[in-house]
Coordinates of all heavy atoms in Angstrom, one line a residue:
A69 N -4.2 5.6 25.1 CA -4.6 4.4 24.5 C -3.6 3.3 24.9 O -4.1 2.2 25.3 CB -4.5 4.4 22.9
W70 N -2.3 3.5 25.1 CA -1.3 2.6 25.5 C -1.6 2.1 27.0 O -1.6 0.9 27.3 CB 0.1 3.2 25.3 CG 1.2 2.4 25.9 CD1 1.6 1.2 25.4 CD2 1.8 2.4 27.1 NE1 2.7 0.6 26.1 CE2 2.7 1.3 27.3 CE3 1.6 3.2 28.3 CZ2 3.4 1.1 28.4 CZ3 2.4 3.2 29.3 CH2 3.2 2.0 29.5
N71 N -1.8 3.1 27.7 CA -2.2 2.9 29.1 C -3.5 2.0 29.2 O -3.5 1.0 30.1 CB -2.4 4.2 29.9 CG -2.4 3.9 31.5 OD1 -2.0 3.1 31.9 ND2 -3.4 4.8 32.0
S72 N -4.4 2.3 28.5 CA -5.6 1.5 28.5 C -5.4 0.0 28.1 O -5.9 -0.9 28.6 CB -6.8 2.0 27.5 OG -7.9 1.4 27.6
Y73 N -4.5 -0.1 27.0 CA -4.1 -1.4 26.5 C -3.4 -2.3 27.7 O -3.6 -3.4 27.9 CB -3.3 -1.2 25.4 CG -2.6 -2.6 24.8 CD1 -3.4 -3.6 24.1 CD2 -1.3 -2.9 25.3 CE1 -2.8 -4.8 23.7 CE2 -0.7 -4.1 24.8 CZ -1.5 -5.0 24.0 OH -0.8 -6.2 23.6
I74 N -2.4 -1.6 28.4 CA -1.7 -2.1 29.4 C -2.6 -2.6 30.5 O -2.3 -3.7 31.1 CB -0.6 -1.2 29.9 CG1 0.5 -1.1 28.7 CG2 0.1 -1.8 31.1 CD1 1.2 -2.3 28.3
K75 N -3.6 -1.8 30.9 CA -4.3 -2.2 31.9 C -5.3 -3.5 31.6 O -5.6 -4.2 32.5 CB -5.5 -1.0 32.2 CG -4.8 0.0 33.1 CD -5.8 1.1 33.3 CE -5.3 2.3 34.1 NZ -6.2 3.3 34.5
T76 N -5.6 -3.5 30.4 CA -6.4 -4.8 29.8 C -5.5 -6.0 29.9 O -6.0 -7.1 30.2 CB -7.0 -4.4 28.5 OG1 -7.8 -3.2 28.6 CG2 -7.9 -5.6 28.0
K77 N -4.3 -6.0 29.3 CA -3.6 -7.0 29.1 C -2.5 -7.4 30.1 O -2.3 -8.5 30.4 CB -2.7 -6.8 27.7 CG -3.5 -6.6 26.5 CD -4.4 -7.8 26.2 CE -5.2 -7.6 24.9 NZ -6.0 -8.8 24.4
K78 N -2.2 -6.4 31.0 CA -1.1 -6.8 31.9 C -1.4 -6.1 33.3 O -0.6 -5.9 34.1 CB 0.2 -6.2 31.3 CG 0.7 -6.8 30.1 CD 2.1 -6.3 29.8 CE 2.6 -6.9 28.5 NZ 3.9 -6.4 28.0
N79 N -2.8 -5.9 33.5 CA -3.2 -5.3 34.8 C -2.5 -3.9 35.1 O -2.4 -3.8 36.4 CB -2.9 -6.4 35.8 CG -3.8 -7.7 35.6 OD1 -5.0 -7.6 35.1 ND2 -3.1 -8.8 35.8
G80 N -2.1 -3.3 34.1 CA -1.6 -1.9 34.5 C -0.2 -1.7 34.5 O 0.5 -2.8 34.4
I81 N 0.3 -0.5 34.6 CA 1.8 -0.3 34.6 C 2.3 -0.5 35.9 O 1.7 -0.2 36.9 CB 2.1 1.2 33.9 CG1 1.4 2.2 34.7 CG2 1.8 1.2 32.4 CD1 1.6 3.6 34.1
E84 N 2.9 3.9 38.0 CA 2.0 4.9 37.4 C 2.4 6.2 37.7 O 2.2 7.2 36.8 CB 0.6 4.6 38.0 CG -0.5 5.5 37.4 CD -1.9 5.0 37.7 OE1 -2.0 3.9 38.4 OE2 -2.8 5.7 37.3

Side-chain angles (χ1 to χ4, degrees):
W70 175 80
N71 187 35
S72 176
Y73 171 82
I74 294 299
K75 284 183 177 180
T76 302
K77 299 295 182 179
K78 299 182 179 181
N79 298 320
I81 55 181
E84 190 168 352

